[in-house]
């Protein structure tokens, strides 16, 4: 929904009811992940995509029907064995899509959700998509509060809502979107009821240290991948917003001191790229970085630089376990030479680690192309 938020917020503010289609489950090589959304306004305007073009026409028609009926629907789309040109996914994947009418009357919490997303406040929307109860029943969960119910007027509503609240907050902490299964009263060992939890966590952070041309390229591709990008360097003549227009922020400070100050905001989704390849900057910085919760710590430099860096870090007291976290030389082996090519190499390694890919050419692999989310 984040991709279509500007459009649907405008429709919602005008009092309009629109159709919102959201991917709530995928199987095999589906083209879009859970959470991908497409919206259809009352006037027929379209925003977003659920499949990259395969089933958008059918979803468009269903969204219009849902706006007329006022009833949410979960529809499965997949390739047809009998007719390859039937409505479905030619890639062989399968999508479950929730199509629901959204407006001030049906989703009174939407304005609060939109405001939280805009303010980078974590929020999750939990929706019943299968099982007993009402399909489309919804609950919005923040870190410190919640609104709505997944079983309106049912005597067991409080137990179900409490179980989902706990799980949704855990998913928010990890930036996860997906389905959870429960018993009618919230029992986690049962699977009568399926709830789709759509997490809107703040974008993951990409911390780029070293205000050089390679950093500018990494900042550009990091922003393209959806990171909140910070560029940091101690030299004010180089660390300027003009040199890094794609960065969300440019910080003039000694890198290790900045990382020490911002450490509380570093989590498992954070990527740290050390591009200074200057011992007086990168050794103190890596000493801090390798002791954070960052999911990725990479450093630029030759193999000789890497060996020297490891020796200095050992002298600083880092353990072998901590040193094993270091990705150095940074990036995948693509033969990259230019700053832009190097940025692609680094981005490829980030994507590989995020999804567990092999890093090999797909022509040399077998089985499913898209792995399940970790």
């Amino acid at each position: 929904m984040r991709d279509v938020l500007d459009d649907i917020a405008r429709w919602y503010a005008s009092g309009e009811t629109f159709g919102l289609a959201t991917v709530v489950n995928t199987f095999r090589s589906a083209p879009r992940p859970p959470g991908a959304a497409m919206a259809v306004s009352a006037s027929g305007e379209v925003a977003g995509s659920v499949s990259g073009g395969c089933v958008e026409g059918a979803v468009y028609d269903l969204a219009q029907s849902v706006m007329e009926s006022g009833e949410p629907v979960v529809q499965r789309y997949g390739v047809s064995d009998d007719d390859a040109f039937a409505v479905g996914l030619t890639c062989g994947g399968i999508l479950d899509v929730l199509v629901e009418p959204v407006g001030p009357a049906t989703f009174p919490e939407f304005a609060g959700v939109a405001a939280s997303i805009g303010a980078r406040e974590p929020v999750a929307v939990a929706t019943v998509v299968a099982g007993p109860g009402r399909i489309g029943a919804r609950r919005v969960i923040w870190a410190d509060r919640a609104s709505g119910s997944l079983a309106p007027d049912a005597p067991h509503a409080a137990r179900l809502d409490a179980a989902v609240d706990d799980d949704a907050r855990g998913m928010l902490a990890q930036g996860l979107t997906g389905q959870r299964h429960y018993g009618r009263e919230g029992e986690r060992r049962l699977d009568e009821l399926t709830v789709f939890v759509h997490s809107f966590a703040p974008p993951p952070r990409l911390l780029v240290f070293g205000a050089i041309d390679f950093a500018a390229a990494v900042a550009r591709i990091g922003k393209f991948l959806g990171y909140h990008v910070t560029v940091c360097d101690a030299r004010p003549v180089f660390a300027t917003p003009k040199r890094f227009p794609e960065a969300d922020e440019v910080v003039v400070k000694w890198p290790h001191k900045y990382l020490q100050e911002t450490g509380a905001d570093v989590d498992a989704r954070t990527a740290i790229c050390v591009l200074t390849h200057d011992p007086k900057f990168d050794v103190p910085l890596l000493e801090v970085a390798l002791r954070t919760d960052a999911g990725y710590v990479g450093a630029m430099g030759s193999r000789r630089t890497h060996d020297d860096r490891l020796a200095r870090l050992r002298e600083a007291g880092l353990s072998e376990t901590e040193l094993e976290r270091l990705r150095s030389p940074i990036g995948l082996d693509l033969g990259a030479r230019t700053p832009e090519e190097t940025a692609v190499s680094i981005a490829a390694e980030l994507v590989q680690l995020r999804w567990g890919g092999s890093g090999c050419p797909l022509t040399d692999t077998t089985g499913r192309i898209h792995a399940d989310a970790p």
Side-chain angles (χ1 to χ4, degrees), residues 19-359:
L20 179 63
T22 305
V23 177
V24 296
N25 204 11
T26 65
F27 306 88
R28 300 201 296 267
S29 296
R32 299 295 308 278
M38 169 180 158
V40 180
S41 73
S43 63
E45 184 181 350
V46 177
S49 169
V50 293
S51 74
C54 298
V55 301
E56 266 64 16
V59 173
Y60 178 87
D61 292 339
L62 182 56
Q64 292 189 317
S65 297
V66 163
M67 283 188 282
E68 292 178 6
S69 69
E71 295 297 324
V73 174
V74 176
Q75 179 68 49
R76 175 164 291 183
Y77 297 97
V79 68
S80 168
D81 293 329
D82 299 324
D83 180 2
F85 295 98
V87 172
L89 305 174
T90 56
C91 61
I94 297 172
L95 295 175
D96 285 345
V97 180
L98 167 67
V99 186
E100 55 185 331
V102 174
T106 63
F107 193 173
E109 302 90 354
F110 175 81
V113 172
S116 291
I117 295 173
R120 294 169 51 84
E121 178 189 18
V123 60
V125 179
T127 309
V128 174
V129 294
R134 178 168 61 83
I135 300 300
R138 184 188 301 107
R139 184 168 173 84
V140 180
I141 302 105
W142 289 269
D144 57 352
R145 63 194 189 282
S147 179
S149 177
L150 297 167
D153 304 321
H156 58 268
R159 291 190 294 274
L160 173 61
D161 290 342
V164 175
D165 288 356
D166 287 344
D167 289 347
R169 289 181 177 125
M171 294 172 72
L172 267 177
Q174 301 176 67
L176 297 179
T177 285
Q179 292 188 352
R180 291 295 183 268
H181 304 280
Y182 305 90
R184 182 187 296 268
E185 298 186 13
E187 304 94 329
R188 289 184 173 86
R189 290 179 293 179
L190 301 178
D191 60 1
E192 299 172 79
L193 183 72
T194 301
V195 176
F196 176 68
V197 180
H198 196 170
S199 294
F200 298 96
R205 299 187 70 193
L206 174 62
L207 306 179
V208 183
F209 294 98
I212 60 176
D213 50 356
F214 287 88
V218 171
R220 283 196 297 272
I221 203 164
K223 193 64 180 175
F224 176 75
L225 291 177
Y227 285 90
H228 179 88
V229 179
T230 299
V231 175
C232 176
D233 195 292
R235 302 165 296 177
V237 68
F238 295 111
T240 65
K242 183 176 181 180
R243 296 188 69 230
F244 300 95
E246 288 83 5
D248 293 284
E249 55 183 349
V250 179
V251 176
V252 180
K253 190 165 290 188
W254 276 82
H256 71 285
K257 292 182 179 179
Y258 171 73
L259 188 56
Q260 286 172 334
E261 294 171 1
T262 193
D265 296 327
V266 173
D267 59 24
R269 299 189 302 146
T270 301
I272 297 175
C273 295
V274 179
L275 309 183
T276 54
H277 54 84
D278 181 336
K280 70 175 178 289
F281 287 109
D282 61 19
V283 172
L285 172 59
L286 288 170
E287 186 179 351
V288 177
L290 292 171
R291 287 170 170 162
T292 68
D293 294 329
Y296 177 92
V297 180
M300 179 181 284
S302 67
R303 298 194 188 281
R304 176 183 293 182
T305 299
H306 171 66
D307 291 340
D308 176 71
R309 184 186 287 138
L310 288 181
R312 292 171 183 266
L313 289 169
R314 288 189 181 99
E315 291 176 2
L318 270 75
S319 68
E320 294 303 314
T321 299
E322 289 169 331
L323 293 176
E324 286 174 0
R325 298 183 58 211
L326 179 59
R327 296 273 170 171
S328 175
I330 196 169
L332 296 188
D333 181 14
L334 305 182
R337 294 178 180 271
T338 68
E340 291 74 20
E341 290 172 347
T342 301
V344 170
S345 168
I346 295 169
E349 187 169 46
L350 291 172
V351 174
Q352 178 208 13
L353 293 175
R354 170 66 180 88
W355 296 106
S358 67

